[in-house]
Amino acid sequence: MPVKRQFFFFAFVAIVLASYGAVRALQGETSAAKPSLSAVYFYDKSDKKVTLEDFKGKVVLVNLWATWCTPCVAELPSLDRLQKALPADKFVIVAISMDTSSMKAVGDFLKKRGIKNLDVYWDKDRQLPLKWKYDGLPTSFLLDRDGNTIARYDGPYVWDQDPVLKDIRERVPK
C-alpha cells in the first residue's frame, strides 16, 4: 500500500476509534465497580511469571490484545502515549498479548510500530480466556490501587483523548 494511502487509512481508523470511544463513554458503557479479576499469572519479556499483585499501589489498565487483532493494533499508539503521559509511579498499563507465537515475536511487532512506553506481557499458558470473562479483543480493565476492577472497556479506544483520558486521570492520584 503506498505511503499516502496508508496514512489516510490509519487517519480514518483513528477518527472512527475516537468517535466510537467517545459515543460509548458518553453512553456509560464503561462499567461501574466490579469484583476483582480472578488470580492469574502471565509472563514479562524476561519470561518471569507476573501477577496483578505485582502492581498493587498503582492504578492499572490491563489491556488484552493480539498482533492479529486490527482494532487492538490500531489502539496501541494511543496506549503508548497514555503510558507516557501519566506518572509511572502511580499508573501502569499492563498490555497482555494473547498471541500464541512467542514473546520475541510480540516484542519485534511492537518495536517495528514504534511502541516504546508499554511494558508488554504474554499469556503464554492461555489462562486468561479460562478465568476472566470478556467478549473479545481488545478488552481493558481499569483497576484501582488495591486491584479492584473499577471500569471495563470493551473494544478499541483512543486512550490519550477525552472522554477516556479524563476518566482515567480522575482515578490516578496526584
Side-chain angles (χ1 to χ4, degrees), residues 71-91:
C72 301
V73 174
E75 75 175 359
L76 282 172
S78 68
L79 281 167
D80 195 51
R81 292 188 301 267
L82 175 64
Q83 183 61 73
K84 185 177 181 182
L86 295 175
D89 62 330
K90 296 179 179 167
F91 174 78

Side-chain angles (χ1 to χ4, degrees), residues 137-174:
L137 300 179
T139 295
S140 299
F141 301 92
L142 188 62
L143 311 178
D144 66 16
R145 293 183 293 173
D146 295 321
N148 300 309
T149 305
I150 52 178
R152 176 177 160 168
Y153 302 88
D154 294 310
Y157 282 83
V158 178
W159 294 97
D160 62 336
Q161 294 180 15
D162 289 338
V164 178
L165 177 60
K166 182 181 179 208
D167 184 42
I168 293 172
R169 275 201 170 143
E170 288 174 352
R171 298 165 191 272
V172 175
K174 305 229 183 317

Side-chain angles (χ1 to χ4, degrees), residues 14-163:
I15 290 167
V16 169
L17 290 176
S19 301
Y20 183 62
V23 168
R24 286 187 310 166
L26 291 173
Q27 291 174 339
E29 272 196 39
T30 58
S31 59
K34 292 199 177 233
S36 298
L37 297 170
S38 298
V40 296
Y41 62 88
F42 40 92
Y43 295 87
D44 68 9
K45 63 184 175 187
S46 302
D47 205 36
K48 176 185 163 204
K49 283 185 180 178
V50 179
T51 70
L52 292 176
E53 284 286 318
D54 296 322
F55 302 99
K56 278 229 171 152
K58 296 181 182 186
V59 173
V60 178
L61 181 66
V62 179
N63 176 260
L64 307 181
W65 72 285
T67 60
W68 47 262
C69 168
T70 303
C72 301
V73 174
E75 75 175 359
L76 282 172
S78 68
L79 281 167
D80 195 51
R81 292 188 301 267
L82 175 64
Q83 183 61 73
K84 185 177 181 182
L86 295 175
D89 62 330
K90 296 179 179 167
F91 174 78
V92 65
I93 296 172
V94 177
I96 304 174
S97 170
M98 305 303 288
D99 285 279
T100 57
S101 56
S102 70
M103 187 58 148
K104 180 181 180 339
V106 171
D108 291 346
F109 179 87
L110 294 173
K111 186 176 181 181
K112 182 178 175 183
R113 281 157 182 78
I115 305 300
K116 300 174 186 168
N117 301 299
L118 291 180
D119 287 330
V120 74
Y121 301 89
W122 185 33
D123 183 22
K124 177 169 75 172
D125 295 335
R126 310 295 301 149
Q127 289 189 55
L128 291 156
L130 300 173
K131 296 192 176 183
W132 290 0
K133 293 192 184 311
Y134 59 94
D135 296 325
L137 300 179
T139 295
S140 299
F141 301 92
L142 188 62
L143 311 178
D144 66 16
R145 293 183 293 173
D146 295 321
N148 300 309
T149 305
I150 52 178
R152 176 177 160 168
Y153 302 88
D154 294 310
Y157 282 83
V158 178
W159 294 97
D160 62 336
Q161 294 180 15
D162 289 338

